[in-house]
């Protein structure tokens, strides 16, 4: 597995993988990804204009890394590829970021309506990140619409 990500790329990769689960990329999902990046302050110290440019740069940089590892047209990834991205991030990103990673994935999955594949993916991500059920439940409870695991 040749994937490695810095912190902002890890969050972006989780976002891209979560968007990919239902095999479609909607504007609301990408808007949620940008919104959560800002909410989680993943690119601190930038003006609004600089932030948007840097977010776009991180998006394309991360997408290119994933695309090089899994050459395929479009944003869709197979379940095995998504799992490989999750494994890479879970192994390399400090534990203190895991809850926020999960929060980002939940927000994106819910943004355009939750389907069964996204539920399965969120449960898998929770397990990969080693989140205790009470922590995952707390994150899920922040999004009243979500009913997973």
């Amino acid at each position: 597995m040749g994937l490695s990500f810095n912190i902002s790329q890890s969050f972006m990769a989780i976002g891209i993988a979560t968007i990919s689960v239902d095999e479609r990329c909607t504007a609301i999902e990408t808007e949620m990804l940008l919104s959560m990046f800002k909410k989680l302050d993943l690119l601190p110290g930038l003006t609004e204009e600089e932030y948007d440019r840097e977010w776009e740069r991180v998006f394309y940089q991360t997408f290119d890394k994933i695309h090089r590892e899994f050459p395929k047209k479009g944003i869709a990834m197979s379940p095995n590829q998504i799992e490989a991205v999750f494994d890479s991030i879970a192994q390399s990103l400090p534990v203190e970021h895991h809850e926020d990673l999960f929060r980002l994935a939940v927000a994106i999955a819910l943004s355009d309506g939750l389907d069964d594949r996204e539920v399965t993916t969120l449960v898998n991500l929770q397990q990969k990140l080693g989140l205790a059920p009470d922590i995952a439940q707390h994150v899920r409870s922040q999004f009243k619409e979500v009913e997973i695991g």
Side-chain angles (χ1 to χ4, degrees):
M1 175 70 171
L3 284 174
S4 66
F5 304 106
N6 64 30
I7 291 173
S8 61
Q9 291 169 348
S10 293
F11 278 85
M12 189 65 76
I14 288 290
I16 291 169
T18 304
I19 288 170
S20 154
V21 169
D22 62 7
E23 299 175 355
R24 60 191 167 89
C25 177
T26 64
I28 195 162
E29 288 173 319
T30 56
E31 289 168 11
M32 180 58 72
L33 180 54
L34 174 59
S35 173
M36 288 298 291
F37 250 69
K38 289 178 179 178
K39 181 177 181 177
L40 296 170
D41 198 25
L42 294 170
L43 302 170
L46 302 175
T47 67
E48 188 74 21
E49 185 178 308
E50 291 169 333
Y51 201 100
D52 290 345
R53 274 198 311 267
E54 181 63 10
W55 183 88
E56 189 173 311
R57 188 189 69 73
V58 171
F59 176 86
Y60 285 113
Q61 190 178 57
T62 306
F63 183 82
D64 286 347
K65 280 185 176 189
I66 293 169
H67 186 69
R68 279 192 308 274
E69 184 72 17
F70 309 116
K72 184 179 175 179
K73 282 187 131 183
I75 196 168
M77 290 187 274
S78 73
N80 288 341
Q81 292 167 336
I82 292 169
E83 187 169 329
V85 169
F86 287 176
D87 285 341
S88 175
I89 292 167
Q91 292 171 8
S92 62
L93 195 67
V95 171
E96 64 261 18
H97 297 291
H98 288 191
E99 186 176 333
D100 284 337
L101 278 169
F102 187 68
R103 182 174 284 108
L104 174 78
V106 169
I108 291 170
L110 287 172
S111 66
D112 70 341
L114 194 63
D115 75 16
D116 290 341
R117 294 171 293 185
E118 290 167 321
V119 170
T120 300
T121 299
L122 291 173
V123 170
N124 184 31
L125 180 59
Q126 173 190 338
Q127 293 168 349
K128 296 267 183 207
L129 295 175
L131 293 177
D134 60 325
I135 293 172
Q137 182 58 39
H138 172 71
V139 169
R140 291 189 302 253
S141 72
Q142 294 174 337
F143 301 95
K144 301 224 186 299
E145 310 90 322
V146 68
E147 288 293 328
I148 65 173

